[in-house]
Amino acid sequence: MYMQAKNVLMVRKIPFFKKWIPEWLVKIILFMMTLPGITIFFLPLANINAAAGYYGCEPADIQFSVALFYAGYVGFYSLERRFFSFLAAKEYFLLFMTLQIMACLICYYTNEIHILFPIRFIQGMLFACNVNLSLSLIFTRLSSERGREISFSVFFGILICALPFNNLITADLIDSYNFNNIYKGAVFLYFPGFIFLAITMRHYRINSRFPLYKLDWESFAMFSTLLILIGYITVFGQEYYWLEDNRILGSTIGIGALLVLLVLRQMFKKRPYINLSVFRYRNFTIGLVILFIMYICRFASGITNSYFISVLHFDPFYLSYINIFNLLGLITGIIIACCLVLQKKNIRSIWVPGFFTLLMFHAVMYFSFDVQADEYNYFIPLFIQGLGVGLIMVPTIIYIISSVPLQIGPSAAATALAIRYLGFCASIALINYYELYEKSRHYNAFQDRLSAIDPSIKDFLHRQTTKLSGKGMLGDHAVKGAEKLLRESVNLQNQVRFAMDYYEMMVWMLSITLLLILLFPYLNRTVLYLKSKRLSPA
């Protein structure tokens, strides 16, 4: 029924909006409708320490709240399609916008992390409603393939720009008020679109109300639980020493059991939640691998931000302005990628420069990490990182969706969305692993070499003791203060070495990826194009 409805939309322009509303304004408003949801997606990561302080929790809990939003989005994506045929577009819009405003108000009024968790999952489900309906209406109002590709690029461009953009617009707000005030701001973002839709949309229904029976709630529950458990073990696994903890062990067993049951259920259902036949197509599988690698590299920039704050001591407000260069790189990369897609370039000519720029970023940053540095040294590397992500993101998703037949395109989009979630979780797990073990390894190595009789150590302690005594500190206190400064210096070196080790691993992974792309001849004959208006937003 959902696909029938989409076919009807393609045949004629459906009067969802009143006649006096210009077409260009409708498209702008539909795009603007996705902005509040994209804003609150990564909102807790805008200042993870401020969020953790407000809720009285650990930074890992804040990361998990983002994973829950992502899991709600991914898990509900396939089930949401049935609601499109049950509700008229106007009442559907107003319903999930009202629920989203209520969810933001709950986030504003609560400071309990265990209340925040389920609300964040519900917000992810509502975001799936928002994205699917908004983009479906946009695509059906575009008569040309060129317009659909541009619209696709704009949406995903906004999505990947969300993190640096959130940091920019919320830095001053978080610095001046409690963290929860950003949810109050999110509430006000919904009101202009809510009022516009209430005034301009008509109560139009494509066909008679299609009853919501035989909803595959079981697959939704199993898939969502699977995603939540994956997010849980990747965020908290390192903290709990992985399988040594019963919670992580039980979650791992649960993931295995749910995965087997979910696959068997999809294989034997007449209308599967996700059609597993998408994995029969070689281009689709290659695209998923590339997308997964890109997402791991994308979130490695979080290590750079941690370095700026913990080692160079940039405040979050200043950091948000430095990341403008990353934002400019993302926008530039998206524009270039869109032009290449419109010119029907083969996918290799897009992936190679994209991954090469990411390789350059990680290599340059490897040699740029130091305990003292000027901020302007990082402007170009941040721009390059954004450029690489912008070049790869949109063409890869178009490549994935266009590599399968039209009838299973929604399953391809849902699978691509799940891979993006897995890439996000994998990046968290890798960073947590490296941060613990690499810091410990380097700390032990420093301890083996540090000695009170070492001339350089004696000189450092003497200089710091003299400096502290000169500022009026008593002799014994000055000695202890110098020893504390030595420990802080060692910790800074640990942070720098951990960042260098992680980026070295990224360099090797990107080098191997580039080599495989260059050596795989089939990619040179693969051209990107969108075959139908029935394109599904991944």
Side-chain angles (χ1 to χ4, degrees), residues 50-239:
Y54 177 78
Y55 292 107
C57 63
E58 299 177 358
D61 294 311
I62 302 302
Q63 290 179 328
F64 186 55
S65 72
V66 177
L68 284 171
F69 187 105
Y70 221 146
Y73 176 26
V74 178
F76 193 62
Y77 175 84
S78 297
L79 186 64
E80 184 276 336
R81 301 174 182 282
R82 289 290 305 277
F83 294 90
F84 181 87
S85 301
F86 180 70
L87 297 170
K90 180 176 181 178
E91 61 187 41
Y92 193 21
F93 261 125
L94 298 182
L95 174 62
F96 67 68
M97 287 182 66
T98 301
L99 293 174
Q100 194 67 278
I101 291 173
M102 292 172 60
C104 286
L105 287 174
I106 294 174
C107 292
Y108 170 69
Y109 283 110
T110 186
N111 59 359
E112 292 291 334
I113 191 68
H114 298 295
I115 296 177
L116 181 70
F117 283 162
I119 297 301
R120 287 288 295 174
F121 181 81
I122 294 172
Q123 285 181 324
M125 294 173 58
L126 296 171
F127 181 64
C129 301
N130 190 343
V131 170
N132 282 350
L133 183 56
S134 296
L135 291 190
S136 294
L137 293 182
I138 290 171
F139 288 139
T140 55
R141 304 182 82 85
L142 298 170
S143 57
S144 67
E145 177 186 323
R146 181 187 183 90
R148 293 193 295 275
E149 289 167 343
I150 293 174
S151 299
F152 208 64
S153 300
V154 170
F155 168 71
F156 280 102
I158 295 172
L159 186 60
I160 62 177
C161 290
L163 196 53
F165 181 73
N166 282 355
N167 292 339
L168 180 64
I169 64 174
T170 62
D172 189 47
L173 183 65
I174 295 174
D175 185 60
S176 303
Y177 304 96
N178 287 334
F179 179 82
N180 64 326
N181 278 276
I182 58 178
Y183 285 106
K184 182 193 289 187
V187 169
F188 288 106
L189 286 177
Y190 280 102
F191 276 113
F194 187 92
I195 295 172
F196 176 86
L197 293 177
I199 295 174
T200 61
M201 288 195 77
R202 304 172 62 181
H203 289 282
Y204 186 87
R205 187 183 298 277
I206 299 174
N207 46 32
S208 58
R209 183 187 294 266
F210 190 75
L212 290 176
Y213 70 94
K214 293 185 179 179
L215 286 175
D216 197 358
W217 289 106
E218 296 84 357
S219 293
F220 163 70
M222 294 169 63
F223 190 36
S224 298
T225 304
L226 174 69
L227 295 170
I228 292 172
L229 291 177
I230 291 174
Y232 180 79
I233 66 171
T234 53
V235 172
F236 295 104
Q238 189 66 64
E239 181 180 346

Side-chain angles (χ1 to χ4, degrees), residues 258-481:
L258 285 171
L259 184 60
V260 171
L261 291 174
L262 192 62
V263 170
L264 291 175
R265 182 178 177 84
Q266 305 315 304
M267 291 175 63
F268 293 104
K269 277 186 67 69
K270 182 179 179 181
R271 294 182 177 86
Y273 199 68
I274 296 177
N275 195 325
L276 300 181
S277 63
V278 293
F279 291 99
R280 298 175 182 172
Y281 299 90
R282 177 170 54 177
N283 282 1
F284 176 79
T285 306
I286 293 172
L288 292 184
V289 173
I290 294 297
L291 188 63
F292 181 77
I293 294 172
M294 191 279 291
Y295 254 69
I296 292 178
C297 297
R298 176 195 175 191
F299 288 102
S301 60
I303 293 179
T304 306
N305 291 334
S306 298
Y307 163 75
F308 288 152
I309 292 176
S310 60
V311 178
L312 300 185
H313 303 296
F314 294 165
D315 62 76
F317 187 75
Y318 189 61
L319 177 63
S320 67
Y321 281 98
I322 293 177
N323 277 321
I324 288 177
F325 291 92
N326 186 251
L327 187 62
L328 292 175
L330 286 167
I331 295 171
T332 304
I334 292 162
I335 293 173
I336 294 174
C338 182
C339 294
L340 293 174
V341 171
L342 292 174
Q343 294 173 13
K344 302 290 188 296
K345 297 293 184 181
N346 64 68
I347 190 64
R348 177 187 284 175
S349 64
I350 301 175
W351 279 348
V352 168
F355 279 103
F356 182 73
T357 52
L358 285 178
L359 177 61
M360 286 178 55
F361 164 73
H362 289 89
V364 169
M365 286 302 300
Y366 176 84
F367 293 103
S368 300
F369 287 123
D370 202 345
V371 292
Q372 292 182 339
D374 295 317
E375 67 277 7
Y376 57 79
N377 293 329
Y378 302 101
F379 293 166
I380 294 177
L382 288 174
F383 178 86
I384 290 175
Q385 195 270 349
L387 180 66
V389 172
L391 279 171
I392 298 170
M393 175 78 165
V394 177
T396 304
I397 294 176
I398 295 177
Y399 176 82
I400 290 171
I401 296 175
S402 61
S403 64
V404 300
L406 294 175
Q407 61 270 22
I408 58 175
S411 292
T415 308
L417 182 55
I419 289 297
R420 286 161 52 199
Y421 172 77
L422 293 177
F424 169 73
C425 293
S427 68
I428 293 176
L430 283 172
I431 291 173
N432 290 343
Y433 173 83
Y434 265 78
E435 187 168 15
L436 177 65
Y437 283 101
E438 293 303 306
K439 280 186 176 181
S440 299
R441 184 170 68 87
H442 290 299
Y443 186 80
N444 293 331
F446 280 125
Q447 276 191 327
D448 292 339
R449 290 178 172 83
L450 292 179
S451 172
I453 61 174
D454 189 309
S456 60
I457 299 301
K458 291 174 65 176
D459 180 64
F460 178 87
L461 293 174
H462 176 71
R463 284 188 290 104
Q464 296 301 327
T465 302
T466 303
K467 185 185 297 184
L468 294 173
S469 298
K471 294 183 178 181
M473 186 175 289
L474 297 177
D476 291 342
H477 292 172
V479 172
K480 293 179 179 179

